[in-house]
């Protein structure tokens, strides 16, 4: 009351705020009043809590609430002086704090106090009923917060998702814009965005004034903060940094231009079916990514920086400045959810391409738990720890399509303590992660660190185009990394490169041809137009399968409606089915009455099941399926199975329970059988992606997949089992599956396919010849002619058969290459195994071996051949080493090879010499020479050609009619084709992981979308629009951009500083240790 009395009587309360003297007087007066009230409390009448004694012994009355407040206050405060506060102890401190809070705790000061004392990650919007008419405070710490200003619209948008504040770009303001004269609009009228410093913590006060007051209402502790103006001077902005992690700069330098900025993509216009729009946009997006990669753009600049970082890393490995051991990390890839699953496949391919390169893929949540917490969170079940991940300036690639997912965003800050080479794969340039990385390299204009798919924000929560676009861009990045490493012989040797330039050319050819396949799967070409009906067979088949499965899901809802109609109709009419028939037939006896009622009661009891059977009979579906909720099991390689499971489960997230769906997934070549076959029941729905087993490297994989499907489909109950669908490039259908959807292969044949094709053509020729000879013999037997004429006719016939047979060979070869024989996975496996056995037999015959056991023969022959090869190489090495010093110089090497073949150019031989000279000492020892002796001339001539005519590093696509055509022409006579096809095994694996698996995922999204759309549109139809939901939303109300994180990011800022200090100390200790060892070695040498 004393504070209010003083405040109300002071007409110029600003003087009381600003003047320290007046505030001290007020504090002293309040302390004196409270002291007097506290002193009389012991004399108070216990029975009457509303009275107390004053110092003058006068009894007065006080409100019960006031007396109770004083009594409560006396329990915690003492008026006795203390060492810290001689003016009144706890009471003086309490009064002073209360007075300062009364005058100073406005919105800005309150936000400061909260963030200074709170623990956690926050994105705050603070307002007060007293100041809501003029100001609001926004704050960020550990959670992003962005503010967009639209001067023309008179609009301010704020939110924790950066893309959300761009909503003002797409829509007009109700009532028109505040600034309508576009011809005279200035630069200040453009929309801008301010991103608060979430890492260090930042508070922003927005004050738009009131009643002509243009100065922001800020209390005394914060009046030293600078005041900026935005929105053409209508809004004052006051910023406070908790811990300045960003550089001091003017507000205008921190603003991001939203309008007339080619790097900022506006939000997509709303459409009735965002999921369908995303799926149909896949060919166009993939085409643009490929075109952009071949042009000079920011992606190419980022690729150039990535290549420089890889070269620097590999050079450090070659020089020995970076140790090579199992815990070392050369390339670290991280992400969350779908982005992580796609990244895991990328890392798996990269690790197989370079076995001695240490590449790891770790979830952002695990990294945040390990390195971003005061108490590290153990990764139970995973081999990750602070010691097992030794990260000394590794190359880090953060995969986050939204660019704002909490885990990857926090890691983009945290990992700056470990590495200066951080890259991100996102949907556009303007993302939160992009902002953090740009702040790292703000001094270098050419240090682009962002790979962008240019897809932008996709509001549909089921992810389709974002997954495919990320996978496509990672394929291009994979090719670029491979070219960078294999271009240098030292890097190639150090990394143990398995991949070759020819493998990359095959992959690039398949990558380019992939666009045609995607067009046929989604039914739309790269320009966004629907394709011709003849090419749309695949999409129609996928949607037909989706329609069938949607009927499975909707049968309970339809049966419920049919039951409702039957019950209402029969009860209202008073004549159930059997009773009505009996009445119409004239059965009015007592026994008929009870029998008909009994039968009608059974019908009522079994009515839902009866209606389900009626629906299945009408629609031609399986009658033996269980009449319960459906379960869909998805089988494919890990990234496809997990991404497709997430896609389908999100589509049915908001579906009504009567049409709900349970979704599971697994790898059919691994744990699908163990995890899910014991749960297979009649009516379970299984969709499985089949690898292309026509390729010899994938034949066993397809056979394992087909075996898993057959095992699941063979589990029967009452003659029924699960309903399985396979999706793949092999046309053969499994006998136990319901349907096989065939995806057309838009690529040349591999060599193994070509071999089988030729064999089929040859067998077809033999069969046709036999049939022709048999036909001619039958004709000859039926003719009763003279022997002489018969002999003449026989001679002519044989000649005709021979000529006809040659003609048949040409026709058969031509026909077979266009329409190859369809083989099952078991047939393919047997064919390739037989071909491999034949190749082994031929090798054994060439070696003159007669050992019965082929396996022992192969092992012995291989050992003998290797031993003889080394001895021959040693003999040749001694012949070339003319001076006998145990080393071969360049001139000795060139002279010896040109003596053997004068057509070999000096330049070619120099490249071979440099290729083998790993230590770069200008000579070859025997181990290095042994590598040259095993190098075929063909491979040496095919040097890495990785630049186009503009000088850009590009992988040139193969132009062969079938993959391996040039290899087949150039190998020495007698080399088996299957032996040659083994050199393509890795390129076949890359085709499966980078191309074929993507096509199967897109096919599943088309099928699942059709399922979800049929279910979604059913309920509005039967309820006249009263019921309905959107399948592009989920109950969590979260897009991919705001995926929740189970790990806090509150300690990231402190941990960054601590980690930097620890790394500096560790480097210093290592430097001192090396210097000490060098000094001791020098001392030993001096003494010696």
């Amino acid at each position: 009351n004393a504070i209010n009395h003083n405040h109300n009587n002071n007409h110029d309360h600003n003087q009381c705020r600003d003047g320290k003297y007046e505030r001290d007087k007020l504090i002293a007066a309040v302390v004196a009043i409270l002291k007097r009230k506290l002193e009389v409390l012991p004399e108070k009448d216990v029975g009457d809590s509303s009275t107390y004694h004053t110092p003058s012994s006068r009894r007065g009355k006080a409100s019960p609430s006031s007396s109770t407040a004083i009594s409560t206050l006396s329990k915690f405060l003492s008026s006795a002086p203390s060492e810290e506060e001689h003016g009144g102890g706890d009471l003086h401190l309490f009064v002073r704090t209360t007075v300062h809070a009364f005058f100073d705790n406005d919105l800005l000061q309150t936000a400061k106090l909260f963030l200074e004392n709170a623990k956690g990650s926050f994105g705050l919007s603070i307002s007060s009923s007293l100041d809501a008419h003029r100001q609001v405070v926004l704050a960020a710490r550990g959670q992003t917060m962005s503010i967009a200003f639209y001067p023309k619209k008179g609009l301010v948008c704020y939110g924790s998702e950066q893309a959300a504040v761009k909503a003002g770009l797409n829509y007009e303001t109700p009532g028109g814009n505040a600034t309508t004269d576009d011809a005279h609009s200035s630069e200040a009228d453009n929309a801008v965005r301010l991103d608060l410093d979430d890492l260090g913590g930042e508070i922003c006060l927005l004050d738009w004034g009131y009643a002509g007051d243009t100065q922001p209402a800020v209390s005394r502790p914060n009046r030293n903060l600078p005041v900026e103006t935005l929105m053409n001077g209508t809004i004052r902005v006051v910023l406070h940094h908790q811990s300045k992690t960003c550089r001091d700069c003017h507000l205008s330098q921190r603003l991001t231009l939203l309008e007339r900025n080619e790097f900022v993509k506006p939000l997509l216009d709303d459409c009735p079916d965002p999921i369908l729009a995303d799926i149909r946009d896949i060919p166009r997006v993939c085409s643009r990514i490929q075109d952009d990669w071949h042009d000079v753009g920011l992606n190419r600049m980022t690729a150039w920086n990535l290549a420089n970082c890889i070269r620097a890393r590999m050079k450090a490995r070659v020089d020995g400045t970076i140790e090579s051991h199992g815990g070392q990390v050369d390339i670290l890839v991280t992400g969350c959810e779908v982005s992580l699953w796609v990244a895991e496949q990328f890392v798996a391919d990269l690790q197989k391409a370079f076995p001695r390169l240490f590449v790891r893929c770790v979830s952002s949540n695990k990294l945040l738990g390990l390195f971003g917490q005061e108490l590290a969170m153990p990764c139970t079940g995973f081999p990750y720890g602070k010691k097992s991940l030794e990260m000394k300036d590794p190359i880090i690639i953060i995969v986050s399509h939204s660019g704002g997912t909490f885990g990857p965003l926090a890691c983009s800050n945290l990992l700056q303590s470990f590495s200066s080479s951080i890259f991100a794969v996102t949907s556009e340039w303007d993302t939160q992660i992009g902002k953090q990385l740009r702040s790292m390299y703000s001094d270098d204009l050419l240090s682009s660190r962002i790979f962008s798919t240019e897809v932008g924000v996709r509001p549909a929560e089921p992810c389709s185009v974002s997954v495919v676009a990320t996978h496509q861009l990672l394929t291009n990045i994979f090719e670029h990394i491979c070219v960078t490493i294999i271009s240098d012989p030292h890097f190639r040797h150090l990394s143990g490169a398995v991949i070759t330039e020819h493998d990359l050319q095959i992959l690039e050819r398949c990558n380019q041809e992939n666009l045609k396949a995607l067009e046929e799967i989604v039914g739309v070409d790269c320009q966004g137009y629907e394709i011709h009906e003849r090419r749309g067979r695949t999409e129609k088949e996928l949607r037909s399968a989706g329609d069938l499965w949607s009927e499975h899901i909707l049968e309970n809802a339809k049966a419920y409606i049919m039951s409702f109609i039957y019950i209402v109709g029969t009860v209202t009419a008073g004549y159930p089915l059997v009773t009505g028939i009996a009445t119409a037939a004239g059965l009015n006896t007592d026994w008929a009455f009870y029998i008909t009622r009994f039968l009608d009661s059974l019908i009522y009891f079994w009515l839902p099941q009866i209606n389900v059977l009626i629906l299945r009979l009408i629609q031609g579906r399986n009658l033996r399926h269980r009449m319960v909720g459906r379960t869909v099991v998805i089988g494919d390689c890990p990234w496809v199975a997990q991404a497709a499971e997430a896609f389908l489960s999100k589509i049915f997230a908001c579906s009504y329970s009567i049409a709900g769906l349970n979704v599971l997934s697994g790898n059919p070549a691994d744990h699908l059988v163990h995890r899910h076959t014991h749960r297979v029941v009649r009516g379970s729905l299984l969709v499985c992606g089949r690898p292309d087993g026509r390729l010899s490297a994938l034949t066993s994989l397809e056979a394992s997949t087909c075996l898993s499907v057959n095992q699941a489909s063979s589990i029967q109950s009452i003659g029924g089992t699960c309903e399985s669908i396979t999706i793949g490039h092999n046309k053969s259908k499994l006998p136990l599956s319901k349907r096989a959807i065939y995806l057309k292969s838009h690529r040349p044949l591999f060599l193994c396919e070509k071999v089988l094709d030729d064999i089929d053509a040859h067998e077809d020729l033999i069969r046709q010849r036999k049939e022709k000879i048999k036909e001619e013999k039958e004709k000859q037997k039926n003719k009763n002619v003279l022997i002489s004429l018969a002999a003449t006719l026989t001679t002519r016939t044989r000649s005709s058969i021979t000529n006809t047979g040659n003609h048949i060979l040409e026709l058969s070869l031509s026909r077979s290459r266009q329409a190859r024989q369809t083989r099952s996975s078991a047939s393919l496996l047997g064919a390739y195994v037989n071909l491999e056995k034949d190749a082994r037999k031929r090798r054994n015959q060439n070696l003159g071996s007669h050992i019965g056991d082929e396996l022992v023969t192969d092992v012995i022959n291989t050992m003998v051949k290797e031993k003889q090869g080394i001895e021959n190489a040693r003999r040749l090495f001694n012949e070339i080493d003319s001076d006998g010093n145990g080393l071969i110089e360049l001139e000795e090497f060139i002279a010896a090879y040109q003596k053997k073949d004068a057509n070999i150019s000096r330049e070619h031989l120099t490249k071979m010499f440099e290729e083998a000279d790993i230590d770069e000492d200008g000579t070859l020892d025997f181990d290095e020479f042994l590598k040259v002796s095993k190098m075929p001339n063909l491979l040496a001539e095919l040097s890495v050609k990785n630049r186009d005519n503009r000088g850009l590093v590009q992988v040139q696509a193969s132009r062969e009619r079938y993959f391996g055509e040039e290899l087949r022409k150039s190998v020495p006579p007698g080399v088996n084709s299957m032996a040659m096809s083994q050199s393509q095994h890795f390129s076949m694996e890359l085709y499966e992981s980078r191309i074929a698996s993507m096509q199967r995922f897109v096919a599943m999204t088309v099928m699942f979308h059709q399922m979800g759309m049929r279910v979604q549109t059913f309920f509005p139809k039967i309820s006249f629009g009263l019921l309905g939901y959107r399948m592009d939303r989920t109950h969590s109300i979260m897009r991919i951009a705001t995926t929740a994180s189970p790990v806090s990011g509150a300690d990231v800022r402190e941990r960054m500083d601590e980690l930097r200090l620890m790394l500096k100390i560790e480097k210093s200790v290592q430097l001192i240790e090396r210097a000490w060892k060098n000094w001791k070695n020098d001392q030993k040498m001096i003494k010696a």
Side-chain angles (χ1 to χ4, degrees):
N1 289 335
I3 295 175
N4 282 326
H5 178 74
N6 185 290
H7 179 63
N8 293 330
N9 289 336
N10 190 346
H11 299 289
D12 190 6
H13 59 270
N14 287 330
Q15 288 184 357
C16 185
R17 287 188 186 180
D18 298 336
K20 183 177 183 301
Y21 175 73
E22 288 81 357
R23 189 173 295 190
D24 291 341
K25 287 175 56 179
L26 176 62
I27 293 172
V30 174
V31 169
I33 294 174
L34 289 178
K35 276 184 178 181
R36 290 196 300 269
K37 291 182 179 293
L38 291 173
E39 288 173 356
V40 301
L41 282 179
E43 304 175 15
K44 183 175 60 174
D45 187 0
V46 178
D48 185 7
S49 61
S50 63
T51 61
Y52 63 90
H53 290 283
T54 63
S56 59
S57 299
R58 289 188 300 118
R59 184 176 298 273
K61 290 285 183 178
S63 64
S65 59
S66 175
S67 176
T68 303
I70 297 296
S71 301
T72 304
L73 188 63
S74 65
K75 298 177 182 179
F76 302 98
L77 299 179
S78 171
S79 61
S82 64
E83 296 180 1
E84 300 164 350
E85 192 60 59
H86 298 287
D90 295 338
L91 179 61
H92 188 280
L93 179 61
F94 169 76
V95 172
R96 187 182 63 181
T97 303
T98 304
V99 170
H100 288 329
F102 180 79
F103 288 114
D104 297 338
N105 281 8
D106 56 359
L107 290 181
L108 182 58
Q109 182 67 12
T110 303
K112 284 178 59 178
L113 292 174
F114 177 81
L115 290 185
E116 286 173 358
N117 296 279
K119 177 75 173 176
S121 304
F122 303 98
L124 302 176
S125 169
I126 307 173
S127 61
S128 167
S129 58
L130 296 177
D131 298 314
H133 61 284
R134 67 172 299 162
Q135 64 181 214
V136 66
V137 167
L138 305 171
R141 190 182 74 185
Q143 174 66 46
T144 60
M145 183 67 73
S146 299
I147 313 167
F149 302 91
Y150 297 90
K152 295 180 183 178
K153 302 177 185 293
L155 175 68
V156 177
C157 298
Y158 63 88
S160 60
E161 187 174 331
Q162 190 182 75
V165 300
K166 296 191 292 186
L169 295 175
N170 297 60
Y171 303 102
E172 294 294 332
T173 309
N177 293 339
T179 304
T180 58
D181 190 2
D182 293 337
H184 297 87
S185 62
S186 63
E187 218 175 282
D189 294 328
N190 292 329
V192 294
R193 187 189 69 235
L194 172 64
D195 299 318
L196 299 185
D197 178 19
D198 57 286
L199 179 61
E202 186 174 14
I203 303 171
C204 174
L205 169 67
L206 302 180
D207 190 299
W208 51 92
Y210 178 72
D213 184 7
T214 59
Q215 293 299 319
V218 180
S219 59
R220 186 178 66 181
N222 300 307
R223 289 181 182 171
N224 62 321
L225 297 176
V227 179
E228 309 284 352
T229 59
L230 289 173
M231 300 280 287
N232 291 322
T234 58
I235 287 185
R236 268 71 59 190
V237 180
V238 180
L239 297 174
H240 169 72
H241 294 267
Q242 274 196 296
S243 174
K244 291 189 178 181
T245 57
C246 60
R247 301 180 178 181
D248 292 329
C249 57
H250 193 267
L251 177 62
S252 60
Q253 297 176 307
R254 294 181 55 192
L255 297 176
T256 301
L257 188 64
L258 296 182
E259 294 178 313
R260 302 174 186 177
N261 188 347
E262 60 179 328
F263 298 110
V264 176
K265 299 178 68 67
L267 300 178
L268 298 176
D269 294 331
D270 196 14
C271 63
D273 193 345
I275 300 177
L276 178 62
D278 287 351
I279 293 175
R280 293 196 163 192
D281 208 21
I282 288 175
R284 183 191 65 85
V285 168
C286 291
S287 177
R288 289 193 59 181
I289 291 174
Q290 292 189 21
D291 293 341
D292 178 70
W293 193 264
H294 292 89
D295 293 334
V296 181
L298 291 180
N299 271 343
R300 295 296 309 182
M301 186 180 296
T302 307
W304 179 74
N305 285 316
L306 176 61
N308 289 339
C309 293
I310 290 175
R311 292 190 191 97
R313 179 78 184 185
M314 297 302 295
K315 191 175 185 302
R317 286 277 303 272
V318 172
D319 297 341
T321 55
I322 296 180
E323 298 178 359
S324 298
H325 54 81
Q328 186 65 44
V329 179
D330 293 320
I331 300 177
L332 175 68
V333 185
T334 184
C336 277
E337 205 206 12
V338 181
S339 297
L340 176 65
W341 303 330
V342 176
E344 286 174 341
Q345 184 60 62
F346 167 78
V347 168
D349 295 334
L350 198 60
Q351 186 68 78
K352 286 193 291 186
F354 305 101
R356 293 204 289 268
L357 198 66
F358 302 108
V359 189
R360 300 289 182 270
C361 184
V362 185
S363 168
S364 298
N365 294 328
K366 292 184 176 64
L367 291 175
L368 199 56
L370 275 177
F371 302 106
Q373 310 295 310
E374 290 185 1
L375 298 176
M377 183 182 73
C379 299
T380 306
F382 296 89
Y384 304 135
K386 290 185 176 180
K387 298 298 182 182
S388 62
L389 290 175
E390 185 174 340
M391 295 191 291
K392 295 182 178 179
D393 200 22
I395 298 169
I396 298 173
I397 301 177
I398 301 173
V399 183
S400 174
H401 197 262
S402 67
T405 311
F406 185 86
L409 177 60
C411 284
S412 69
N413 293 318
L414 178 67
L415 296 177
Q416 294 179 25
S417 303
F418 295 102
S419 174
S420 59
S421 304
I422 304 179
F423 298 84
V425 178
T426 64
S427 61
E428 55 182 315
W429 303 104
D430 181 41
T431 61
Q432 290 283 1
I433 292 179
K435 180 194 72 172
Q436 298 294 347
L437 297 187
R438 284 193 295 271
S439 65
M440 285 180 61
Y441 310 101
S442 58
D443 293 337
D444 190 356
L445 297 177
L446 299 179
S447 291
S448 176
R449 301 286 166 150
I450 312 298
F451 290 103
S452 172
T453 63
E454 286 299 291
V455 171
V457 176
R458 299 288 171 152
E461 293 191 49
C463 308
S464 56
V465 66
S466 59
V467 178
V468 176
T470 303
H471 189 78
Q472 172 67 68
L473 185 56
L474 287 176
T475 298
N476 293 106
I477 297 174
F478 171 82
E479 292 181 351
H480 195 79
I481 293 175
C482 292
V483 166
T484 302
I485 295 178
I486 68 176
S487 298
D488 190 293
H490 301 91
F491 301 165
R492 185 163 62 247
H493 173 77
L494 181 68
S495 61
V498 174
I499 195 169
T500 64
E501 178 70 14
H502 190 60
D503 293 332
L504 291 175
Q505 291 175 352
I506 292 175
L507 177 60
E508 178 60 20
R509 175 72 178 275
C510 295
N511 187 32
Q512 294 177 6
E513 300 290 348
N514 182 41
L515 298 177
K516 298 177 183 177
L518 295 177
E519 290 176 347
E520 294 185 356
I521 293 173
V522 304
V524 175
D525 62 15
C526 295
Q527 284 71 40
Y529 301 106
E530 293 189 5
I531 61 177
H532 194 274
E533 185 177 355
R534 290 178 298 179
R535 295 184 59 201
R537 178 195 59 82
T538 303
E539 188 212 10
K540 289 182 179 179
E541 195 170 359
L542 289 167
R543 295 201 176 276
S544 174
D547 289 334
L548 175 63
W549 281 15
S550 67
E551 293 297 339
H552 292 329
I553 297 169
L554 288 173
E555 65 178 8
N556 288 331
K558 291 182 178 181
Y560 179 87
I561 296 172
M562 294 170 64
S563 301
F564 171 78
I565 295 173
Y566 177 83
I567 293 172
V568 171
T570 55
V571 172
T572 303
Y575 292 98
L577 179 62
V578 180
T579 301
I581 295 174
T583 302
L587 293 176
N588 297 322
T589 60
D590 292 341
W591 63 268
F593 174 82
Y594 290 108
I595 291 176
T596 55
R597 292 300 190 274
F598 174 74
L599 294 176
D600 282 326
S601 64
L602 293 180
I603 291 176
Y604 280 121
F605 182 79
W606 297 104
L607 187 58
Q609 288 78 9
I610 294 172
N611 289 329
V612 167
L613 290 175
I614 293 172
L615 285 173
R616 291 179 180 178
L617 283 171
I618 295 174
Q619 297 170 353
R621 295 186 289 116
N622 196 314
L623 298 178
R624 296 187 179 94
H625 286 185
R626 285 189 176 184
M627 301 177 187
V628 293
R630 299 286 179 153
T631 297
V632 173
V633 181
I634 303 170
D636 211 308
C637 63
W639 84 265
V640 174
Q642 294 176 100
E645 178 191 1
F647 180 85
L648 181 57
S649 61
K650 288 180 181 178
I651 280 182
F652 282 89
C654 295
S655 176
Y656 297 106
S657 59
I658 199 171
L661 188 67
N662 186 28
V663 187
L664 306 172
S665 69
N667 185 357
D670 186 7
H671 54 261
L672 178 69
V673 173
H674 307 292
R675 290 179 57 185
H676 302 310
T677 50
H678 65 279
R679 304 176 64 179
V680 171
V681 297
R682 290 176 286 110
S684 296
L685 307 177
L686 171 63
V687 56
C688 194
R690 290 174 58 180
D692 195 349
R694 298 171 299 177
L695 309 183
S696 57
L698 307 178
T699 304
S700 297
L701 182 60
E702 187 196 26
S704 299
T705 301
C706 294
L707 181 60
S708 296
V709 176
N710 288 333
Q711 288 173 336
S713 302
S714 62
I715 301 174
Q716 297 189 5
S717 174
I718 319 179
T721 182
C722 69
E723 185 173 301
S724 58
I725 295 177
T726 60
I727 300 176
H729 297 81
N730 193 350
K731 287 185 177 180
S732 66
K733 177 183 175 299
L734 299 181
L736 297 180
S737 64
K738 173 72 174 179
R739 177 181 295 185
I741 300 177
Y742 163 67
L743 306 179
K744 188 176 180 181
S745 298
H746 289 273
R747 58 167 175 79
L749 299 179
F750 279 85
L751 186 56
C752 59
E753 294 177 288
K754 179 66 175 173
V755 171
L756 279 185
D757 190 29
D758 292 344
I759 292 175
D760 292 340
H762 181 67
E763 291 177 351
D764 194 18
L765 168 63
I766 295 175
R767 180 186 58 80
Q768 292 181 43
R769 281 181 174 177
K770 289 181 179 180
E771 291 178 356
K772 188 67 175 179
I773 293 173
K774 184 178 180 181
E775 181 183 349
E776 293 296 334
K777 286 183 178 181
E778 290 294 333
K779 291 181 180 179
Q780 184 179 4
K781 289 180 181 180
N782 295 332
K783 291 181 180 180
N784 188 10
V785 294
L786 297 174
I787 297 177
S788 59
L789 294 176
T792 305
L793 180 60
T794 302
T795 303
R796 293 177 179 176
T797 302
R798 289 176 178 173
S799 177
S800 176
I801 291 173
T802 303
N803 296 332
T804 304
N806 293 333
H807 181 61
I808 291 173
L809 174 61
E810 296 177 1
L811 291 177
S812 179
L813 286 172
S814 176
R815 179 200 60 78
S816 178
R817 287 181 183 127
Q818 294 177 1
R820 297 181 301 278
Q821 177 182 344
T822 300
R823 294 175 181 264
S824 65
S825 60
S827 175
L828 287 167
L829 185 61
Y832 284 131
V833 169
N834 291 334
L835 289 174
E836 182 61 28
K837 287 183 178 180
D838 291 341
R840 289 179 182 176
K841 288 181 180 179
R842 291 176 185 174
R843 290 197 296 268
N844 294 338
Q845 292 173 358
N846 294 335
L847 292 172
S849 175
H850 300 284
I851 301 177
D853 191 344
E854 294 183 0
L855 179 60
V856 176
T857 301
D858 288 342
V859 173
I860 294 177
N861 288 335
T862 301
M863 295 173 63
V864 171
K865 189 174 180 180
E866 289 181 356
K867 181 67 175 177
Q868 291 175 347
I870 295 176
E871 292 177 353
N872 293 334
R874 171 64 72 177
R875 186 163 51 252
L876 181 61
F877 179 84
N878 295 332
E879 292 178 1
I880 298 176
D881 184 18
S882 57
D883 54 6
N885 63 349
L887 297 173
I888 297 178
E889 286 80 14
L890 176 59
E891 294 301 327
E892 293 176 335
F893 180 81
I894 294 176
Y897 265 78
Q898 285 185 341
K899 182 179 179 181
K900 181 179 178 182
D901 187 355
N903 296 324
I904 302 179
S905 65
R906 183 182 180 87
E907 180 183 2
H908 173 64
L909 293 173
T910 303
K911 288 183 179 180
M912 290 180 62
F913 186 89
E914 294 174 350
E915 175 82 11
D917 186 14
I918 301 300
D919 53 10
E920 293 185 336
D921 60 352
T923 60
L924 300 182
D925 56 21
F926 177 71
D927 292 334
E928 293 173 334
F929 175 76
L930 190 61
K931 179 180 177 182
V932 180
S933 64
K934 294 180 179 180
M935 184 188 303
N937 289 337
L938 174 65
L939 297 180
E941 291 173 357
L942 293 177
S943 58
V944 179
K945 301 174 182 178
N946 51 31
R947 294 188 183 272
D948 59 13
N949 53 8
R950 299 169 297 175
L952 291 178
V953 176
Q954 298 283 5
V955 175
Q956 305 301 318
S958 173
R959 298 304 173 194
E960 298 173 306
R961 290 180 300 175
Y962 62 89
F963 297 136
E965 180 182 15
E966 297 298 329
L967 180 63
R968 205 175 190 183
K969 293 177 180 179
S970 58
V971 294
V975 178
N976 185 267
S977 296
M978 284 305 297
M980 289 185 287
S981 70
Q982 291 181 357
S983 64
Q984 296 180 339
H985 275 196
F986 189 63
S987 59
M988 296 177 192
E989 294 181 27
L990 290 178
Y991 165 74
E992 159 63 20
S993 62
R994 309 307 313 169
I995 308 299
S997 59
M998 180 205 290
Q999 295 176 12
R1000 296 197 300 270
F1001 171 74
V1002 176
M1004 289 183 185
T1005 61
V1006 173
M1007 175 181 169
F1008 295 156
H1009 167 264
Q1010 186 69 14
M1011 288 173 55
M1013 185 189 66
R1014 287 287 301 274
V1015 176
Q1016 175 191 253
T1017 56
F1018 172 77
F1019 292 98
K1021 289 179 181 178
I1022 58 100
S1023 65
F1024 303 100
L1026 296 178
L1027 299 177
Y1029 66 93
R1030 293 187 61 174
M1031 65 178 179
D1032 60 310
R1033 297 288 182 266
T1034 67
H1035 289 298
S1036 62
I1037 319 177
M1038 292 191 302
R1039 315 289 197 277
I1040 184 176
T1042 53
T1043 304
S1045 173
V1047 186
S1048 172
D1051 301 327
V1052 170
R1053 182 186 62 195
E1054 291 79 7
R1055 290 294 297 162
M1056 285 179 63
D1057 298 335
E1058 183 179 345
L1059 288 171
R1060 285 196 182 103
L1061 180 59
M1062 290 174 60
L1063 289 175
K1064 288 181 180 179
I1065 294 175
E1066 184 178 353
K1067 290 180 180 178
S1068 302
V1069 171
Q1070 292 176 352
L1071 181 62
I1072 295 173
E1073 184 180 2
R1074 285 197 300 268
W1076 169 256
K1077 289 182 178 179
N1078 293 335
W1079 181 82
K1080 289 195 70 175
N1081 292 334
D1082 294 341
Q1083 292 298 318
K1084 289 180 180 179
M1085 293 179 64
I1086 293 173
K1087 292 180 180 179

